[in-house]
Amino acid sequence: MQEIGVGVIGTAFMGKAHSLAYAAAGTAFGGGLRPRLEMVCDIDPDIAKAKQIEMGFARSTTNYMDVVNDPKVQLISICVPNSVHKEIAVAALKAGKHVWCEKPMATTVPEAEEMLAAANESNCQTMLGYNYTQNPLVQSARDLVNEGVIGEVTGFHGIYDVDNEADPDRPHSWRMSREASGTGANADVMCHLVSMAHFMTGAEVTRLVGDYDTVYKERKDPNNPEQMLPVDNDDVCTALAHFSSGIKGTLRVSRVAWGRKCGLRWEIHGSQGMICHDQERLNELQLYKRSDDPRQQGFRTIHSGQYHEPYSAFLPNAGHTLGFIDVKVCELHKLLTAISENTPAWPSFEDGLKIEKVMDAIDRSAMSGAWTDV
Amino acid sequence: MQEIGVGVIGTAFMGKAHSLAYAAAGTAFGGGLRPRLEMVCDIDPDIAKAKQIEMGFARSTTNYMDVVNDPKVQLISICVPNSVHKEIAVAALKAGKHVWCEKPMATTVPEAEEMLAAANESNCQTMLGYNYTQNPLVQSARDLVNEGVIGEVTGFHGIYDVDNEADPDRPHSWRMSREASGTGANADVMCHLVSMAHFMTGAEVTRLVGDYDTVYKERKDPNNPEQMLPVDNDDVCTALAHFSSGIKGTLRVSRVAWGRKCGLRWEIHGSQGMICHDQERLNELQLYKRSDDPRQQGFRTIHSGQYHEPYSAFLPNAGHTLGFIDVKVCELHKLLTAISENTPAWPSFEDGLKIEKVMDAIDRSAMSGAWTDV
Amino acid sequence: MQEIGVGVIGTAFMGKAHSLAYAAAGTAFGGGLRPRLEMVCDIDPDIAKAKQIEMGFARSTTNYMDVVNDPKVQLISICVPNSVHKEIAVAALKAGKHVWCEKPMATTVPEAEEMLAAANESNCQTMLGYNYTQNPLVQSARDLVNEGVIGEVTGFHGIYDVDNEADPDRPHSWRMSREASGTGANADVMCHLVSMAHFMTGAEVTRLVGDYDTVYKERKDPNNPEQMLPVDNDDVCTALAHFSSGIKGTLRVSRVAWGRKCGLRWEIHGSQGMICHDQERLNELQLYKRSDDPRQQGFRTIHSGQYHEPYSAFLPNAGHTLGFIDVKVCELHKLLTAISENTPAWPSFEDGLKIEKVMDAIDRSAMSGAWTDV
Amino acid sequence: MQEIGVGVIGTAFMGKAHSLAYAAAGTAFGGGLRPRLEMVCDIDPDIAKAKQIEMGFARSTTNYMDVVNDPKVQLISICVPNSVHKEIAVAALKAGKHVWCEKPMATTVPEAEEMLAAANESNCQTMLGYNYTQNPLVQSARDLVNEGVIGEVTGFHGIYDVDNEADPDRPHSWRMSREASGTGANADVMCHLVSMAHFMTGAEVTRLVGDYDTVYKERKDPNNPEQMLPVDNDDVCTALAHFSSGIKGTLRVSRVAWGRKCGLRWEIHGSQGMICHDQERLNELQLYKRSDDPRQQGFRTIHSGQYHEPYSAFLPNAGHTLGFIDVKVCELHKLLTAISENTPAWPSFEDGLKIEKVMDAIDRSAMSGAWTDV
C-alpha cells in the first residue's frame, strides 16, 4: 500500500469533510493509495493550528502557497470560497499537484476555462466535488440505465430545493448580491442538479430556456435591521432543457423552499421503466420495470447494499446505510484510483466546465427570455 | 328533501362515475337536492338499454336531444368525447338545463367561449369535472393557504405524469394525431394540472414559455402492424409560468411516464411553510411549518378525516379513506348546492375557459419558442 | 339483470355504508343481482322516516321484525349494536332471509354458535362485514400467496392501532366497562386483525398466549366530571399465536395509539419474499421478492388497479384509488354472488365463529396467564 | 487536545468500524480526547500486518494480551466473537484499560456478571456497542420523551427483522446450533431491540412471556450438501413484556424476514402523542402530537439535523444524512467523554447486564411456556 501526501486548503464544512475522507480512505478501501495528512491551511493562524491538531495534520499554514509548494504534498483539496478556486487550482496544477476542488468549479466560464487549460497542461488528475453523483446507489443506477434496465432513456427531470434562505427574516448577505456572488440558486444549487443530469443521462444539456424568481426582493441590512437592502440574484431558478442525446427535460431549484433540507430529487424516464432518487433518502433508489407481472408492478424501494459497490468498503450488508461523509470517501477513492492509474475520473475539470456552461446559458436565457444554446 | 331529475349522456368511465355519484348523493349528504335518475343516453341502443337497467335510470335513448328536451330532466351530465362537449352543452343550456361537463371543456378556445356565452345567457349552473380539486383534503389545503398557515404564497410547482401511452408498442390511435385530437398530453393531462394551479393559488397563469416532446415519433398502424404511422402531438408538455398574483412556477406533464398511474403531484411554497399533495395518495396531505420547534420540524402526513369536510358525509373517522368515486360525489354535491342556492361553484364554465386559455398559450409558445401571454 | 329486495336495520355509520353499497352495486358491477331498496329500520321514527327519503328506500319502520317479515325483502343488513346481532340474525334466518351482519359477530361465543346454527338450518347465505379483507388488492395478495410468489408462508404478524380512545380526557362510556360491552380493544379491534390473519394465511389461530393493558384505569364520569369511574376492560390487547398450518405469529391492537387512524398493518413472511399492507394506504401493497436481481431487490409499492379485480368495476386504471365505501361494494358483490350461486362466500357465519373463538381464547389467556387452546 | 492510545482486537466488520471511528473522532468533534492508533490484533499474522498499514496503526500483533499489556494503550476495542468477550474484557479491565465491547455483552448471564464485576473493581469506563441507541436523532427522541412532548409514556413496541438467514438454501452454520452459539435471533437480534426498549423508556423489562420459532428446522450440511443438519435454535423470537415503569409492550425479532435489511422499527406510545423510528431510515424520526390543530395533525417526518446534536460534528445542515459509521463515531465520543469526565455513559457493562438478563428470561420462558420474571 503506497502513500500520498495531501494538503487541505480551507477548514470549514468542506475542509472538514475532505479531512474526514482522507482519514478514512485507507481503512475503508484497504488497497490503493493511503493519504498521509501533510498540511492544512486556514487564513486564521489560530484556526489553522487548532485544525492541524484536531484533524491530525503534520503541519499547518496560513498561506495556501505553502501547501502548493510543499514537496511532500501531491494532492491538494480546495475547500475555500468559489471566487478563489481558480487561482489556487491553477497554482497547484502548475506546481504539479493533483487537485480535488469543491463545487461549483468557478464563478465564471472564463475562469473555469482557465482552470481546465491548466489541467490540460499538467500531468495531474482533477476532480470536482459533485458528491451526490458519487453515491454507490446512484452509480449503480447509472449502470442499470446503461444496461438497458429501463429501456431507452426518454427524459430527465430534476428538482433541487433547499430552505437555507427560506426565512424572510434572514438578513441580507453577500449571497444575495449579484455583484458579490454572481447568480444565486443557479450557482449554488443548480450546479448539483446539472451534474446529476449529465451523469445520469451520459449526455449534456445543449439548449434551454431559463427563468429566475427573486422571491424576497429585499432583506434586512445585517448592520442596520431598520434598513432593507435589495436582493438582485435568484432565489429560484428553472429551465426547460434539451440534451445532446435528443431527450428533453426540466430543471428547477430553489433556495427558499421550506422543509426541503437537501431536496435533490430526480427521475430518469425510460421506454421500459423509470428510476428515481431523493438525496434526503440517499440509501434508497426507486425503480419501476414494466416487464414485471402487471399485478406485481410497482416502484421498488432498493436499499443500498453490498450489490452497489463500493458500499462494502464500509458495511457488510444492506440496511446499515451510508452517510454524506462515506460518499465523500467514495469520491476520494475515485480520485485516488485516477491518480494511481493515470486515467481521469468523472467529474474532472473537463466535465466541470460543461456544467458551468449550462448555468451560464441559464443565466443568459433568464436575462434575454429566449431559448439559448449552451 | 327536494328531488332533481338528472340525465347522463355517455356511459363509459365518466358516465359510470356520474351515475354512481347521482346514486350516492342523497344517502351521503342527506340534505339538499336528491338526484332522480331520469334518462341515460348512449349512441348504441343495446348499451343504452343495458345501462338504463344496471344504473337504475327510468328511461334510455340514443339521441342526446331526448335528454336535453326531457321535461323531467333539470341537470345533464356530459360524459362524451371532448369534440362534442360544445354542441351538447350549448343545447342543454339553451333548453334551460344545468350542466355538469367533463374535462377538458372543449377542443378549442372559441368553442369554450361559445359554451361560456351560452351559460351566461342562461339561468343555469355549470360545472367542469376537474375532480382532483374537489378532494376534501385539497379543499382543506386551500383553506390552510388562505388562512396563512404557510405564510405568503411564493411559488407553485406541479407535475402530472401517467403511463397510459408509455408502452412504445402501443399502436397508433386518434389520440396521437393533432388533427384528430388536437394537442396530446397538453389537452389530456395538463388541463388537470392547470386547474389545480388555479385552484390552489387562487390566481391564474398569465404568461409562460412551453415546450413539447414527442417521445415516440411513430407508432404501429393498428390495422397493419407492419407499417408505422407518425405521431404529431405531444407526449410530454412542460412550461415555466408566471401567475397573476406575481408568483412563478413550473408545470410538467407526461403521458409516457412508466410507473405513474395518476401522478398528479404539486407543491405550494410559502414564506412560512409548504404544502404538497400526490393524487396517488389522495387521502394524505404533506404540510411543513417552520414555526414548529426546530427539533420537531418535519413534513406532517395528514390523513383526510372528519376535520376535512365533507369527509364525514361518507365516513366518521380519519383513516378509512375516500376514493375517486367519493370525491366525484363531493363534486356533485357542490353543483347541487350551487343549483339550490343559485350561486356558481368553482369550476364553472367561466373558470374552465381560463384553464383552456392556458393550454392554448402553452401550445402557441411550444410552436413559437417565445414567452407568451395567456 | 335480476333484482333482490333489501332491508337495512340500523342507520348509523354502518347502515349508511350498507345503503351506499346497495345503491352502487348495480351500476358498478353491471351483472348479477341488482339491490332494490325496500325498507329501512331505525328505532327513532323521525330518523327512520328521514333516512328512508335520503337513502331512497321504499318504506321505513321502527320495528326490525317488519323488515324480517317483509315479503319483498330477501336480504337483510344488520347494522346495530353487537349485543342485538344474535336476535336479529336468528329471526332473519328463520324467516328465510339472507343476512349481511356487521362485525364482530356477537358478544359471546355461545351467541355466535347460535347464529351459526340458525344459518346451518336455513338455506340462506350469511356474510360478516370484515371489510378490510375484501379490498381487491388484499384479495390479490392472497392470490399471490397461494400461487407461491413468496414461497412457503413462514409467519404472520399484524398490528391494528387506532386512537379512538387515546385522549385521556375522553369521558367514561359503556365501551370501557366489561359488564356493558365485554372486552375492549380485543372485541372492537382485534376481530379485524384476526379476520385478516385467517384470510391471508388460509389457516386459523389454534393456540396462543395473550395479555391486556388498561392504560387509562379510570375515566371521568360523563355526568359528573369531578368523579372518576373505573375502566375494567382492555385498551391494548396482545398475543403470541400458533396457527393450524404450523406457522407462528404475533397480534397486537390498541385503541389508545395516538396518530393511528386505521392502523391495520400486517406482514406475511415467506421463504422467498414478503407481502405487507397498511390499511391507511389501502390502495398500496408492498411485495418483496428475493428472486429479483440483487441490485434491483426492494419492496415494490403496488398500486391497486385493473389487474386486481374487481377494481375495474369502479375505475379503468390504477392510481385513481378505491375508498372504504367502494370496498364495501366489493364485499356486497361477493354476498350477492354467493346468493345467486348458492355457494358460501368468505367470511360466512362459519368463518366468523372461528374468529370469535380466537378473541375468546385471548381473553381466557389474558386472565389465566397461560398458553391457551382456541 | 489530549490524546488517548487505543488498541483494536479483531479486524472484521466491527474492528473496521471501530478503526474508522477512531480515525474520525478528532476531526469530527474537535474537543476532547483524540485517539492515537497504537495497536491492532488479529489471530492471522498476515491480516494483522495488512490491517495495521491500511488502518494506520503503529503496531500489530496476533496475541490480544499484547494489546492488553501495552503501556501506550489506554482504551481497548473488543471486536471478536461473543464467546471470547469475557476473557478479553476481564483481562483488559484488570490491566486498567477502558473497554469498548461489541454487543451482545457475552453468551451467558454469569459471563456478563463476571465482566461487570471486573468493571466495578476497576477505575475504568466500559461501553457496549448498542449503536442504534447512539443515533443523534434517537437521542433527541429520548429527550423529547423526557420533556413530555408525547405526554406520559404508555407503551413500547419494537420489531427487529433482518433477512441474513432468510434463504432456505443457506447452509448450516455454527449460528444455527444452540450448543455452538446459544440462542439464535434472541442473542443476535433481540439484544439490539432490548437495548432500544431500555433506552427509550428509561425503564427495564421485568416480566415477560416469550416464544421461539425455528422456521427452517434443518439446513444443508456445508460439507455435504446431500445431507441435512438440524437447526436447534430460534429463527424468530417474540415476547410480551412488562416494564419496571408499569407500561407494557411487545418485542419481536426474526433473522428470516425477507426484505428487511436492518428492520429495527419501534414505537413509543404516549398519552399525548407517539414517536416512531425505523433504522433503515436512520435520519428520520416520526412524531405525532395530538396538540396540533386537528386539521393539521399528522406524523411529522423529522430529518436529523443540527438541532439533534452531535449531528453538527459531521454536517452543518439537516438533509445531508449521517450513516452507520458516523453514529459509531458518536458512540465513541460518548465513551471518550466518559473517560475524560470519569463518569459512566450509557450503556456501560451495568446497563448491558440488564439487557442480557432479558434475553435470558425470554429463553427460559420460551422453554417453559410460562410468564417469567427477568
Side-chain angles (χ1 to χ4, degrees), chain A residues 16 28 34 53-56 281-282 284 313 321 324, chain D residues 16 28 34 53-55 281-282 284 313 321 324:
Chain A
K16 186 172 187 174
R34 191 175 206 290
I53 295 165
E54 286 175 25
M55 295 175 168
R281 288 180 173 168
L282 71 86
E284 296 180 20
T321 82
F324 181 94
Chain D
K16 186 173 186 172
R34 191 176 206 288
I53 295 165
E54 285 174 26
M55 294 175 168
R281 289 181 173 166
L282 70 86
E284 297 180 17
T321 82
F324 181 94

PDB file of all heavy atoms in Angstrom, chain A residues 16 28 34 53-56 281-282 284 313 321 324, chain D residues 16 28 34 53-55 281-282 284 313 321 324:
ATOM      1  N   LYS A  16     -13.412  20.145   6.457  1.00  0.00           N
ATOM      2  CA  LYS A  16     -13.616  19.063   7.417  1.00  0.00           C
ATOM      3  C   LYS A  16     -14.007  17.762   6.716  1.00  0.00           C
ATOM      4  O   LYS A  16     -13.495  16.686   7.031  1.00  0.00           O
ATOM      5  CB  LYS A  16     -14.723  19.497   8.388  1.00  0.00           C
ATOM      6  CG  LYS A  16     -14.962  18.559   9.545  1.00  0.00           C
ATOM      7  CD  LYS A  16     -15.936  19.228  10.510  1.00  0.00           C
ATOM      8  CE  LYS A  16     -16.125  18.444  11.784  1.00  0.00           C
ATOM      9  NZ  LYS A  16     -16.953  19.194  12.756  1.00  0.00           N
ATOM     10  N   ALA A  28     -11.097   2.159   4.955  1.00  0.00           N
ATOM     11  CA  ALA A  28     -12.295   1.741   4.235  1.00  0.00           C
ATOM     12  C   ALA A  28     -11.937   0.881   3.033  1.00  0.00           C
ATOM     13  O   ALA A  28     -12.491  -0.200   2.845  1.00  0.00           O
ATOM     14  CB  ALA A  28     -13.106   2.959   3.792  1.00  0.00           C
ATOM     15  N   ARG A  34      -2.824   5.411   0.148  1.00  0.00           N
ATOM     16  CA  ARG A  34      -3.251   5.776   1.504  1.00  0.00           C
ATOM     17  C   ARG A  34      -2.857   7.229   1.757  1.00  0.00           C
ATOM     18  O   ARG A  34      -1.678   7.574   1.739  1.00  0.00           O
ATOM     19  CB  ARG A  34      -2.569   4.864   2.520  1.00  0.00           C
ATOM     20  CG  ARG A  34      -3.142   5.003   3.898  1.00  0.00           C
ATOM     21  CD  ARG A  34      -2.601   4.045   4.921  1.00  0.00           C
ATOM     22  NE  ARG A  34      -3.601   3.851   5.961  1.00  0.00           N
ATOM     23  CZ  ARG A  34      -3.941   4.778   6.848  1.00  0.00           C
ATOM     24  NH1 ARG A  34      -3.344   5.936   6.861  1.00  0.00           N
ATOM     25  NH2 ARG A  34      -4.887   4.527   7.738  1.00  0.00           N
ATOM     26  N   ILE A  53      -4.145  20.039  14.701  1.00  0.00           N
ATOM     27  CA  ILE A  53      -4.158  19.054  15.787  1.00  0.00           C
ATOM     28  C   ILE A  53      -5.413  18.189  15.738  1.00  0.00           C
ATOM     29  O   ILE A  53      -5.339  16.966  15.733  1.00  0.00           O
ATOM     30  CB  ILE A  53      -4.035  19.781  17.144  1.00  0.00           C
ATOM     31  CG1 ILE A  53      -2.652  20.455  17.208  1.00  0.00           C
ATOM     32  CG2 ILE A  53      -4.236  18.814  18.293  1.00  0.00           C
ATOM     33  CD1 ILE A  53      -2.534  21.489  18.319  1.00  0.00           C
ATOM     34  N   GLU A  54      -6.554  18.835  15.680  1.00  0.00           N
ATOM     35  CA  GLU A  54      -7.817  18.086  15.655  1.00  0.00           C
ATOM     36  C   GLU A  54      -7.854  17.088  14.507  1.00  0.00           C
ATOM     37  O   GLU A  54      -8.289  15.953  14.658  1.00  0.00           O
ATOM     38  CB  GLU A  54      -8.996  19.041  15.446  1.00  0.00           C
ATOM     39  CG  GLU A  54      -9.370  19.869  16.631  1.00  0.00           C
ATOM     40  CD  GLU A  54     -10.465  20.872  16.273  1.00  0.00           C
ATOM     41  OE1 GLU A  54     -11.231  20.634  15.313  1.00  0.00           O
ATOM     42  OE2 GLU A  54     -10.523  21.891  16.970  1.00  0.00           O
ATOM     43  N   MET A  55      -7.442  17.555  13.342  1.00  0.00           N
ATOM     44  CA  MET A  55      -7.579  16.747  12.137  1.00  0.00           C
ATOM     45  C   MET A  55      -6.386  15.833  11.906  1.00  0.00           C
ATOM     46  O   MET A  55      -6.417  14.998  11.011  1.00  0.00           O
ATOM     47  CB  MET A  55      -7.758  17.670  10.927  1.00  0.00           C
ATOM     48  CG  MET A  55      -9.063  18.478  10.960  1.00  0.00           C
ATOM     49  SD  MET A  55      -9.111  19.649   9.558  1.00  0.00           S
ATOM     50  CE  MET A  55     -10.837  20.195   9.609  1.00  0.00           C
ATOM     51  N   GLY A  56      -5.342  16.030  12.691  1.00  0.00           N
ATOM     52  CA  GLY A  56      -4.212  15.115  12.598  1.00  0.00           C
ATOM     53  C   GLY A  56      -3.232  15.403  11.465  1.00  0.00           C
ATOM     54  O   GLY A  56      -2.557  14.490  10.991  1.00  0.00           O
ATOM     55  N   ARG A 281     -33.051  10.730   1.094  1.00  0.00           N
ATOM     56  CA  ARG A 281     -33.026   9.290   1.401  1.00  0.00           C
ATOM     57  C   ARG A 281     -31.965   8.667   0.512  1.00  0.00           C
ATOM     58  O   ARG A 281     -32.263   7.877  -0.383  1.00  0.00           O
ATOM     59  CB  ARG A 281     -34.404   8.672   1.135  1.00  0.00           C
ATOM     60  CG  ARG A 281     -35.421   9.091   2.165  1.00  0.00           C
ATOM     61  CD  ARG A 281     -36.786   8.493   1.920  1.00  0.00           C
ATOM     62  NE  ARG A 281     -37.658   8.815   3.043  1.00  0.00           N
ATOM     63  CZ  ARG A 281     -38.980   8.649   3.044  1.00  0.00           C
ATOM     64  NH1 ARG A 281     -39.580   8.150   1.984  1.00  0.00           N
ATOM     65  NH2 ARG A 281     -39.695   8.968   4.099  1.00  0.00           N
ATOM     66  N   LEU A 282     -30.728   9.022   0.796  1.00  0.00           N
ATOM     67  CA  LEU A 282     -29.661   8.694  -0.152  1.00  0.00           C
ATOM     68  C   LEU A 282     -29.403   7.206  -0.264  1.00  0.00           C
ATOM     69  O   LEU A 282     -28.758   6.756  -1.221  1.00  0.00           O
ATOM     70  CB  LEU A 282     -28.390   9.498   0.159  1.00  0.00           C
ATOM     71  CG  LEU A 282     -27.556   9.198   1.384  1.00  0.00           C
ATOM     72  CD1 LEU A 282     -26.557   8.079   1.081  1.00  0.00           C
ATOM     73  CD2 LEU A 282     -26.766  10.438   1.749  1.00  0.00           C
ATOM     74  N   GLU A 284     -31.729   4.964  -0.695  1.00  0.00           N
ATOM     75  CA  GLU A 284     -32.868   4.312  -1.346  1.00  0.00           C
ATOM     76  C   GLU A 284     -32.964   4.756  -2.798  1.00  0.00           C
ATOM     77  O   GLU A 284     -32.839   5.936  -3.099  1.00  0.00           O
ATOM     78  CB  GLU A 284     -34.173   4.687  -0.639  1.00  0.00           C
ATOM     79  CG  GLU A 284     -34.221   4.187   0.786  1.00  0.00           C
ATOM     80  CD  GLU A 284     -35.501   4.532   1.506  1.00  0.00           C
ATOM     81  OE1 GLU A 284     -36.517   4.828   0.845  1.00  0.00           O
ATOM     82  OE2 GLU A 284     -35.487   4.506   2.754  1.00  0.00           O
ATOM     83  N   ALA A 313     -17.058  -1.348   1.119  1.00  0.00           N
ATOM     84  CA  ALA A 313     -15.868  -0.761   1.745  1.00  0.00           C
ATOM     85  C   ALA A 313     -16.197  -0.276   3.154  1.00  0.00           C
ATOM     86  O   ALA A 313     -15.299  -0.109   3.989  1.00  0.00           O
ATOM     87  CB  ALA A 313     -15.358   0.405   0.906  1.00  0.00           C
ATOM     88  N   THR A 321     -26.795   1.587   5.995  1.00  0.00           N
ATOM     89  CA  THR A 321     -26.830   2.947   5.453  1.00  0.00           C
ATOM     90  C   THR A 321     -25.518   3.731   5.533  1.00  0.00           C
ATOM     91  O   THR A 321     -24.909   3.847   6.576  1.00  0.00           O
ATOM     92  CB  THR A 321     -27.939   3.844   6.072  1.00  0.00           C
ATOM     93  OG1 THR A 321     -27.523   4.384   7.279  1.00  0.00           O
ATOM     94  CG2 THR A 321     -29.239   3.108   6.225  1.00  0.00           C
ATOM     95  N   PHE A 324     -23.410  11.056   4.255  1.00  0.00           N
ATOM     96  CA  PHE A 324     -22.738  12.013   3.377  1.00  0.00           C
ATOM     97  C   PHE A 324     -21.221  11.824   3.382  1.00  0.00           C
ATOM     98  O   PHE A 324     -20.572  11.829   2.336  1.00  0.00           O
ATOM     99  CB  PHE A 324     -23.100  13.428   3.837  1.00  0.00           C
ATOM    100  CG  PHE A 324     -22.504  14.510   3.004  1.00  0.00           C
ATOM    101  CD1 PHE A 324     -23.223  15.066   1.953  1.00  0.00           C
ATOM    102  CD2 PHE A 324     -21.232  14.997   3.263  1.00  0.00           C
ATOM    103  CE1 PHE A 324     -22.663  16.085   1.180  1.00  0.00           C
ATOM    104  CE2 PHE A 324     -20.672  16.009   2.489  1.00  0.00           C
ATOM    105  CZ  PHE A 324     -21.398  16.556   1.447  1.00  0.00           C
TER     106      PHE A 324
ATOM    107  N   LYS D  16     -13.182  -2.941  11.843  1.00  0.00           N
ATOM    108  CA  LYS D  16     -13.073  -1.870  10.857  1.00  0.00           C
ATOM    109  C   LYS D  16     -13.890  -0.648  11.288  1.00  0.00           C
ATOM    110  O   LYS D  16     -13.415   0.494  11.201  1.00  0.00           O
ATOM    111  CB  LYS D  16     -13.589  -2.395   9.519  1.00  0.00           C
ATOM    112  CG  LYS D  16     -13.410  -1.469   8.359  1.00  0.00           C
ATOM    113  CD  LYS D  16     -13.819  -2.222   7.078  1.00  0.00           C
ATOM    114  CE  LYS D  16     -13.534  -1.415   5.834  1.00  0.00           C
ATOM    115  NZ  LYS D  16     -13.760  -2.244   4.616  1.00  0.00           N
ATOM    116  N   ALA D  28     -13.923  15.133  13.705  1.00  0.00           N
ATOM    117  CA  ALA D  28     -15.360  15.389  13.828  1.00  0.00           C
ATOM    118  C   ALA D  28     -15.657  16.253  15.044  1.00  0.00           C
ATOM    119  O   ALA D  28     -16.366  17.255  14.943  1.00  0.00           O
ATOM    120  CB  ALA D  28     -16.125  14.061  13.909  1.00  0.00           C
ATOM    121  N   ARG D  34      -8.244  12.794  21.728  1.00  0.00           N
ATOM    122  CA  ARG D  34      -8.009  12.410  20.332  1.00  0.00           C
ATOM    123  C   ARG D  34      -7.366  11.029  20.310  1.00  0.00           C
ATOM    124  O   ARG D  34      -6.278  10.834  20.850  1.00  0.00           O
ATOM    125  CB  ARG D  34      -7.073  13.434  19.671  1.00  0.00           C
ATOM    126  CG  ARG D  34      -6.995  13.257  18.188  1.00  0.00           C
ATOM    127  CD  ARG D  34      -6.154  14.295  17.476  1.00  0.00           C
ATOM    128  NE  ARG D  34      -6.618  14.405  16.113  1.00  0.00           N
ATOM    129  CZ  ARG D  34      -6.417  13.474  15.181  1.00  0.00           C
ATOM    130  NH1 ARG D  34      -5.745  12.393  15.461  1.00  0.00           N
ATOM    131  NH2 ARG D  34      -6.890  13.643  13.966  1.00  0.00           N
ATOM    132  N   ILE D  53      -1.328  -1.501   8.457  1.00  0.00           N
ATOM    133  CA  ILE D  53      -0.983  -0.489   7.451  1.00  0.00           C
ATOM    134  C   ILE D  53      -2.237   0.216   6.929  1.00  0.00           C
ATOM    135  O   ILE D  53      -2.329   1.446   6.933  1.00  0.00           O
ATOM    136  CB  ILE D  53      -0.191  -1.155   6.298  1.00  0.00           C
ATOM    137  CG1 ILE D  53       1.147  -1.659   6.854  1.00  0.00           C
ATOM    138  CG2 ILE D  53       0.013  -0.176   5.145  1.00  0.00           C
ATOM    139  CD1 ILE D  53       1.868  -2.620   5.951  1.00  0.00           C
ATOM    140  N   GLU D  54      -3.207  -0.562   6.497  1.00  0.00           N
ATOM    141  CA  GLU D  54      -4.435   0.026   5.955  1.00  0.00           C
ATOM    142  C   GLU D  54      -5.091   0.984   6.951  1.00  0.00           C
ATOM    143  O   GLU D  54      -5.531   2.061   6.593  1.00  0.00           O
ATOM    144  CB  GLU D  54      -5.462  -1.067   5.655  1.00  0.00           C
ATOM    145  CG  GLU D  54      -5.198  -1.889   4.428  1.00  0.00           C
ATOM    146  CD  GLU D  54      -6.183  -3.035   4.306  1.00  0.00           C
ATOM    147  OE1 GLU D  54      -7.321  -2.925   4.837  1.00  0.00           O
ATOM    148  OE2 GLU D  54      -5.814  -4.039   3.686  1.00  0.00           O
ATOM    149  N   MET D  55      -5.162   0.523   8.183  1.00  0.00           N
ATOM    150  CA  MET D  55      -5.913   1.276   9.181  1.00  0.00           C
ATOM    151  C   MET D  55      -5.066   2.328   9.883  1.00  0.00           C
ATOM    152  O   MET D  55      -5.592   3.132  10.648  1.00  0.00           O
ATOM    153  CB  MET D  55      -6.489   0.306  10.222  1.00  0.00           C
ATOM    154  CG  MET D  55      -7.545  -0.647   9.648  1.00  0.00           C
ATOM    155  SD  MET D  55      -8.055  -1.850  10.915  1.00  0.00           S
ATOM    156  CE  MET D  55      -9.517  -2.581  10.137  1.00  0.00           C
ATOM    157  N   ARG D 281     -34.185   3.936   7.890  1.00  0.00           N
ATOM    158  CA  ARG D 281     -34.203   5.373   7.600  1.00  0.00           C
ATOM    159  C   ARG D 281     -33.714   6.099   8.838  1.00  0.00           C
ATOM    160  O   ARG D 281     -34.475   6.796   9.504  1.00  0.00           O
ATOM    161  CB  ARG D 281     -35.615   5.825   7.220  1.00  0.00           C
ATOM    162  CG  ARG D 281     -36.030   5.306   5.865  1.00  0.00           C
ATOM    163  CD  ARG D 281     -37.420   5.760   5.460  1.00  0.00           C
ATOM    164  NE  ARG D 281     -37.682   5.367   4.089  1.00  0.00           N
ATOM    165  CZ  ARG D 281     -38.883   5.369   3.518  1.00  0.00           C
ATOM    166  NH1 ARG D 281     -39.938   5.761   4.207  1.00  0.00           N
ATOM    167  NH2 ARG D 281     -39.037   4.999   2.267  1.00  0.00           N
ATOM    168  N   LEU D 282     -32.442   5.891   9.130  1.00  0.00           N
ATOM    169  CA  LEU D 282     -31.940   6.305  10.440  1.00  0.00           C
ATOM    170  C   LEU D 282     -31.935   7.822  10.610  1.00  0.00           C
ATOM    171  O   LEU D 282     -31.832   8.316  11.734  1.00  0.00           O
ATOM    172  CB  LEU D 282     -30.587   5.679  10.737  1.00  0.00           C
ATOM    173  CG  LEU D 282     -29.336   6.094   9.988  1.00  0.00           C
ATOM    174  CD1 LEU D 282     -28.709   7.311  10.662  1.00  0.00           C
ATOM    175  CD2 LEU D 282     -28.326   4.961  10.049  1.00  0.00           C
ATOM    176  N   GLU D 284     -34.474   9.759   9.931  1.00  0.00           N
ATOM    177  CA  GLU D 284     -35.841  10.252  10.008  1.00  0.00           C
ATOM    178  C   GLU D 284     -36.510   9.755  11.281  1.00  0.00           C
ATOM    179  O   GLU D 284     -36.396   8.592  11.646  1.00  0.00           O
ATOM    180  CB  GLU D 284     -36.660   9.759   8.809  1.00  0.00           C
ATOM    181  CG  GLU D 284     -36.129  10.284   7.489  1.00  0.00           C
ATOM    182  CD  GLU D 284     -36.928   9.805   6.289  1.00  0.00           C
ATOM    183  OE1 GLU D 284     -38.073   9.341   6.459  1.00  0.00           O
ATOM    184  OE2 GLU D 284     -36.395   9.887   5.179  1.00  0.00           O
ATOM    185  N   ALA D 313     -21.320  17.798  14.491  1.00  0.00           N
ATOM    186  CA  ALA D 313     -19.916  17.372  14.462  1.00  0.00           C
ATOM    187  C   ALA D 313     -19.539  16.892  13.058  1.00  0.00           C
ATOM    188  O   ALA D 313     -18.363  16.863  12.703  1.00  0.00           O
ATOM    189  CB  ALA D 313     -19.680  16.245  15.472  1.00  0.00           C
ATOM    190  N   THR D 321     -27.557  13.858   5.935  1.00  0.00           N
ATOM    191  CA  THR D 321     -27.651  12.491   6.457  1.00  0.00           C
ATOM    192  C   THR D 321     -26.353  11.878   6.980  1.00  0.00           C
ATOM    193  O   THR D 321     -25.343  11.868   6.308  1.00  0.00           O
ATOM    194  CB  THR D 321     -28.268  11.480   5.438  1.00  0.00           C
ATOM    195  OG1 THR D 321     -27.307  11.033   4.543  1.00  0.00           O
ATOM    196  CG2 THR D 321     -29.464  12.059   4.727  1.00  0.00           C
ATOM    197  N   PHE D 324     -24.152   4.825   9.252  1.00  0.00           N
ATOM    198  CA  PHE D 324     -23.825   3.931  10.364  1.00  0.00           C
ATOM    199  C   PHE D 324     -22.489   4.296  11.018  1.00  0.00           C
ATOM    200  O   PHE D 324     -22.375   4.331  12.240  1.00  0.00           O
ATOM    201  CB  PHE D 324     -23.779   2.498   9.829  1.00  0.00           C
ATOM    202  CG  PHE D 324     -23.483   1.467  10.873  1.00  0.00           C
ATOM    203  CD1 PHE D 324     -24.509   0.810  11.523  1.00  0.00           C
ATOM    204  CD2 PHE D 324     -22.173   1.144  11.209  1.00  0.00           C
ATOM    205  CE1 PHE D 324     -24.239  -0.152  12.497  1.00  0.00           C
ATOM    206  CE2 PHE D 324     -21.894   0.192  12.180  1.00  0.00           C
ATOM    207  CZ  PHE D 324     -22.933  -0.453  12.818  1.00  0.00           C
TER     208      PHE D 324
END
